[in-house]
Each structure stands twice: as C-alpha cells, then as structure tokens.
C-alpha cells in the first residue's frame, strides 16, 4: 500500500524510549526469518515465541501531538521507509565493554551514534540504506515528548537528537535531511550484533590490513575473518582502528559488515534451515524495540516479503553526503550537491548509482569486479558537479573501492565524493 499524499505530509514523532543499538540488517533478518519460519511445521510455536520476545512498542505521534494510526498492511506494496537508531548507552548492556573508557560511556537513552534510514522503492526492485554521520551538524526541529515538546535548535550534532527528545527527534531530523516521510522506526541493542552473528554461525569479512583497536578490545589479522559474538560487536563499533579513525571511516566498515551479513542471511544454507531462521528471528526480536506502526507480525512479515524481492546488487548502502564543518574541523555538515542529488532520488523513488569510492574504512577486495547498479545503461540523470569541499574521509578514500558502471536513465548518479557500496560488492576493511 503506497502512502497517500496526506500520509506523506504527516510528521512523525515518538515518545521517549530506552536502550538500543542499530543496524538495518538485523531488522531485515528478523522479518525475513519470521516470514520463512511461519511456512514450516513449527510455525505456531516459532511465531508466538518470537513475538513474545519483543520489547514494548514505541507509540507514534505526529509533530502536532496527534496519534499516528498504523497502516493496514496485507502483502506490502508501495514504498517503505524505516529508521533504525542505535545508542552508545551502557545501561543494561553489561559484559559488552572491556575498558574503563568504554564503561564510562553514555547511560540512560544515550546518543544515537548509529542511525540508518532504509528506503524500499515502490516497485520493490531496489533499496537504499542511508547512514547519517553521528558528527553531522544540522538544524533540529521542535520534537514532541511525553512532557510537551523540546525547543528547536538552529544547529546541533545529529547524535544528540535521541537524548534531547527521544526517538521522535531522530525521526523528525532524519525526515528533514532525506525528504522522506518515515512511518516506521526501531531501536536495537548492542546485544543484537552478538546474537545475530552467533545465529548465522559467524559473519565472514575481509581485512586488507590488520585491525587493532584497544578501545573496543579488537586485534584481528589481515585476511578473511569469521566474526562471532563479542568480536562481531567490536568490529562494527571500532572507530580508532579503521581507516582514518573517524566516524565516517567506521560507517564504511559497518556497511561492509552489513553487506556480508545480508549475503549470509540470504544464502541457501540459511534460508533452507528452519532452526537457523527461528534463531535469527528470536535474536532480532529479543534486541529490538519497534514503533507501534511496525509492531505487528503482519506488518513485519509483509515488509520482509517485499524486501526479499530486492537483489543484493540493487541494495545500496550510502553515506549521507557530508563535508568538513568550516567552524569545527572535527565535525561535518551536509554537502549541498550530494544532498540535492540524494534527496531527488529518494523523493522521486528513483534508484541511486554510486560513482565514488567505498569509503575511508574499506577498499575493493582483490579481484573484485564492478558491481552493476539498478538497470545499468549509459543515459543516467547525472548529478551536478560538486562545488563544495568534500569531507576529509571522502578525500582520503580517493582511489579506493570499485566505481559502478554507467547507470540507467531512470537512476540518479551521485557525485563521486559520496561513498558507499552495494550489498553484493566484495570489500575489505583498511586498518588504521
């Protein structure tokens, strides 16, 4: 069901919530797992037991304070927009942190240090996942809360929106950044990375160089590594050990991990194993807190069915276009040319084509070939030439990764300083 014009104009917000850590692959895996398990002989027990694992849902309200009615979903049709936010909170995450620096992190709601927006096209042929940098300086709107509303801010660091006004502020700010209406949202705990990697028997990643990060207790050799449990968590959390040591480098490393996880989750060995699928579903739902528009088996299953039809080559991970903040070299601000191209693609439900590198934290795997983007041809709609200063990460990453072939006339080509990769693209982590 494609959202009506009225629904699209609604600004969504949420009441404050607690705990979480987010990456989009875990939600996809959980939805797909529930869908597939429900077709087997253990359906009644598996679905019921899995659903009981969910945390209480997050009530959705509009920016005006009015309740949002969850859409009626059958076999999901039309575009789907989901936000996933993860915090750096240590509350309720015992045993995941090994150093004094880690233990001294945020408590309570924490900051949304990982935020991704998934846009599934209306025809279900392609999906775009946008990673929004934690250090992005942006305007923050007034956000509805249980006690009224927060004050709007002309400029604030994006990762403060969760602690400032709850998940509502994350969603409202992300809507302004992307131009999308986002009716679905979820928070996922630190424990989810560990549980998901264990459920699939480990996620195999490629390391171009050794990866050492004492801040998260990580020490990995170069070459292929199969990550499970605490190593998987440390890998996606590592910043100091990856690329240039920035959050932008970490984003490209997370995209590598999510691509590898998606490839594993959608492999024949996983999809044909009901026990593994059930374990995946339980791992996801035990570590997710969903918005009430999303918290029903019917909705999750129908979205999972829609996502299942997207080829991995058309599942594109993109870093939100950013450049160095002229007022603070340790922060970034939206890069106008890239933002305009990305927003145009998202709001017109058009595929995006990556023309740049995979990012500061990754590079193309040895022998990897260019990955076709949705319907490649030579007549894509090009983005205007960039005139703004690119982010340090994009500059440092120049020359790495694998450019994609010429796109179709129905695709928007992003500027070369916008980084990312497709889910089927083979990449390797570059250690710091």
């Amino acid at each position: 069901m494609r959202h009506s014009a009225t629904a699209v104009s609604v600004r969504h917000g949420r009441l404050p919530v607690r705990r979480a850590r987010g990456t989009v692959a875990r939600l996809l895996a959980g939805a797909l797992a529930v869908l597939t398990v429900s077709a087997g002989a253990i359906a009644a027990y598996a679905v019921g037991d899995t659903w009981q694992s969910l945390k209480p849902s997050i009530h959705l309200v509009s920016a005006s304070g009015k309740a949002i009615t969850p859409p009626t979903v059958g076999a999901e049709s039309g575009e789907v927009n989901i936000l996933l936010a993860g915090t750096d909170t240590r509350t309720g995450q015992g045993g995941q942190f090994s150093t004094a620096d880690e233990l001294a992190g945020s408590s309570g709601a924490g900051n949304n240090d990982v935020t991704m927006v998934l846009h599934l096209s209306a025809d279900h042929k392609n999906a775009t996942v946008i990673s929004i940098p934690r250090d992005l300086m942006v305007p923050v709107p007034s956000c509805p809360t249980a006690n009224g509303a927060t004050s709007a801010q002309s400029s604030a660091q994006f990762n403060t929106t969760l602690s400032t006004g709850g998940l509502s502020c994350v969603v409202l700010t992300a809507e302004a950044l992307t131009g999308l209406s986002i009716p679905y949202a979820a928070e996922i705990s630190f424990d989810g990375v560990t549980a998901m990697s264990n459920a699939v028997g480990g996620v195999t990643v490629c390391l171009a160089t050794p990866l050492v990060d004492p801040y998260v207790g990580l020490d990995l050799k170069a070459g292929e590594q199969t990550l499970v449990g605490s190593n998987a968590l440390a890998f996606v959390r590592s910043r100091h050990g990856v690329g240039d040591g920035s959050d932008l480098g970490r984003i490209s490393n997370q995209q590598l991990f999510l691509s590898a996880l998606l490839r594993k989750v959608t492999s024949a060995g996983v999809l044909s194993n009901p026990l593994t699928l059930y374990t995946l579903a339980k791992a996801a739902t035990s570590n997710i807190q969903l918005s009430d528009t999303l918290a029903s088996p019917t909705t999750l299953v129908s979205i999972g069915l829609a996502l299942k039809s997207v080829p991995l080559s058309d599942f594109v991970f993109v870093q939100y276009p950013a450049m160095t903040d002229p007022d603070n070299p340790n922060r970034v601000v939206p890069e106008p040319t890239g933002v305009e191209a990305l927003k145009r693609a998202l709001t017109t439900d058009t595929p995006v084509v990556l023309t740049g590198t995979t990012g500061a934290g990754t590079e193309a795997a040895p022998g990897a070939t260019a990955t076709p983007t949705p319907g490649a041809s030579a007549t894509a709609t090009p983005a205007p030439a960039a005139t703004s200063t690119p982010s340090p990460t994009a500059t440092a990453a120049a020359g790495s990764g694998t450019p994609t072939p010429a796109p179709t006339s129905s695709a928007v080509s992003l500027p070369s300083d916008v980084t990312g990769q497709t889910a089927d693209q083979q990449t390797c982590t570059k250690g710091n």
Side-chain angles (χ1 to χ4, degrees), residues 267-421:
S267 66
V270 171
L271 291 178
S272 64
N273 189 326
L275 181 59
T276 301
L277 288 169
Y278 168 60
T279 305
L280 276 168
K282 191 69 177 285
T285 55
S286 296
N287 296 286
I288 284 178
Q289 191 169 17
L290 303 172
S291 64
D292 55 4
T293 52
L294 195 56
S296 80
T298 301
T299 304
L300 264 186
V301 167
S302 60
I303 290 176
L305 181 61
L307 287 167
K308 188 177 179 181
S309 65
V310 180
L312 292 178
S313 60
D314 296 338
F315 215 111
V316 185
F317 292 93
V318 178
Q319 178 190 291
Y320 191 82
M323 63 184 188
T324 304
D325 185 347
D327 298 323
N328 186 343
N330 295 319
R331 299 289 180 264
V332 293
V333 293
E335 190 284 300
T337 302
V339 169
E340 188 278 330
L342 180 60
K343 274 187 159 182
R344 174 156 47 91
L346 294 174
T347 56
T348 59
D349 196 31
T350 305
V352 297
V353 174
L354 296 167
T355 65
T357 70
T358 60
T362 56
E363 62 183 34
T369 56
T371 302
T373 334
S377 94
T379 54
T381 303
T387 56
S388 303
T389 304
S391 70
T393 297
T395 303
S400 65
T402 305
T404 50
T408 69
S409 57
S410 61
V412 172
S413 181
L414 300 178
S416 61
D417 57 357
V418 178
T419 63
Q421 72 167 83

Side-chain angles (χ1 to χ4, degrees), residues 11 23 132 244 280 367:
R11 307 288 292 175
T23 53
I132 304 177
D244 58 3
L280 276 168

